[in-house]
Amino acid sequence: MDALYRHVQWQKGGVLSKFRLMIAVLAAMIFVVVVLRWGSEFSAVMASPSVSEVYSIAADEVPKLPNATSTFAITRQMEQCDNWMTSIVAGFASEQALQNIAIACEARADDILASTPSFSLAHLVKAGVARTRSDADVIVQSLSAAQITAPFEGALATRRLRLFFLSGPDVTATSLENDVKVVAMSPNFRPFLAQFYWTYPERRTWLTEVFEALPPNAARRVVATIKKAAPGGIQ
């Protein structure tokens, strides 16, 4: 009986060892696939061209953007598209280069929104594309969608305000009043309001009205930040 018992236990141990080996192999295969996928997406996005490089490419053709799927990769792509279209380089680039970049970024934003309609940065990129085409209605619609899908994120609020101010005085977006309030409450992003205030005098009345609706302490901090950043050092 003892021999039989040991034999049964040995067989069980062998089966268990094989099962554990299969699990280990499967886990290793999954790990390799994940690493390869993330490594490929990370490399593709991080190796994308700089602002000057992308405009050089876009002068002759539509830039090719990787078909990324991870949240990290598509976030980085949409941030790059926003930076490309709002860069000072865009103001000196040819219309062909600007439109080629807009085409590439619009295609990626559409792909992303098809699977994730609430991806705020993609809506922002759509607004940036509309700005290159002077389409005020789409700018407002897309900025509104971007704000609704990420109403309390300071970094995204700052990006939306930047595009809003760059779009000119004819574009009105009352929904962005909340973005001003979000940015005003953050010491990290508040200096951008001072930059916007001094850079876009045509928007100062609108900004001042929003500031007046802030809690008193927040309003005082904003005013102090604006004065500190004033040309000539107004105190």
Side-chain angles (χ1 to χ4, degrees), residues 23-63:
I23 293 296
V25 171
L26 180 60
M29 291 175 63
I30 293 174
F31 176 77
V32 170
V33 170
V34 170
V35 168
L36 289 175
R37 177 183 171 185
W38 274 83
S40 176
E41 293 210 348
F42 182 84
S43 298
V45 174
M46 298 305 292
S48 61
S50 65
V51 173
S52 57
E53 289 171 341
V54 78
Y55 274 95
S56 177
I57 294 169
D60 300 314
E61 62 184 17
V62 175

Side-chain angles (χ1 to χ4, degrees), residues 44 48-49 54 57-58 61-67 77 84 100 104 108:
S48 61
V54 78
I57 294 169
E61 62 184 17
V62 175
K64 295 177 177 61
L65 302 183
N67 189 27
Q77 278 189 327
W84 290 340
N100 279 343
R108 283 300 297 132

Side-chain angles (χ1 to χ4, degrees), residues 82-116:
D82 180 47
N83 291 339
W84 290 340
M85 291 186 289
T86 57
S87 167
I88 190 172
V89 177
F92 298 95
S94 67
E95 181 65 18
Q96 182 64 50
L98 184 59
Q99 289 307 317
N100 279 343
I101 289 173
I103 289 170
C105 289
E106 182 179 38
R108 283 300 297 132
D110 285 341
D111 286 344
I112 293 166
L113 290 173
S115 60
T116 314

Side-chain angles (χ1 to χ4, degrees), residues 69-148:
T69 57
S70 68
T71 300
F72 165 79
I74 61 177
T75 296
R76 178 65 176 165
Q77 278 189 327
M78 293 295 94
E79 287 176 344
Q80 287 175 325
C81 279
D82 180 47
N83 291 339
W84 290 340
M85 291 186 289
T86 57
S87 167
I88 190 172
V89 177
F92 298 95
S94 67
E95 181 65 18
Q96 182 64 50
L98 184 59
Q99 289 307 317
N100 279 343
I101 289 173
I103 289 170
C105 289
E106 182 179 38
R108 283 300 297 132
D110 285 341
D111 286 344
I112 293 166
L113 290 173
S115 60
T116 314
S118 61
F119 200 83
S120 182
L121 269 169
H123 288 293
L124 176 63
V125 168
K126 294 280 286 185
V129 170
R131 175 175 166 263
T132 70
R133 299 166 184 169
S134 302
D135 192 334
D137 290 340
V138 176
I139 293 174
V140 172
Q141 292 168 9
S142 296
L143 280 176
S144 179
Q147 199 276 331
I148 290 170

Side-chain angles (χ1 to χ4, degrees), residues 124-203:
L124 176 63
V125 168
K126 294 280 286 185
V129 170
R131 175 175 166 263
T132 70
R133 299 166 184 169
S134 302
D135 192 334
D137 290 340
V138 176
I139 293 174
V140 172
Q141 292 168 9
S142 296
L143 280 176
S144 179
Q147 199 276 331
I148 290 170
T149 49
F152 303 115
E153 296 185 30
L156 297 184
T158 302
R159 284 180 178 273
R160 289 191 292 266
L161 288 171
R162 175 176 66 177
L163 182 60
F164 172 61
F165 288 122
L166 284 171
S167 297
D170 295 332
V171 174
T172 57
T174 56
S175 65
L176 294 189
E177 291 178 5
N178 185 69
D179 281 348
V180 175
K181 296 174 183 177
V182 169
V183 174
M185 301 300 287
S186 169
N188 292 328
F189 298 110
R190 194 179 302 132
F192 286 101
L193 287 179
Q195 179 183 330
F196 296 147
Y197 183 89
W198 293 115
T199 304
Y200 304 99
E202 70 277 9
R203 294 290 192 182

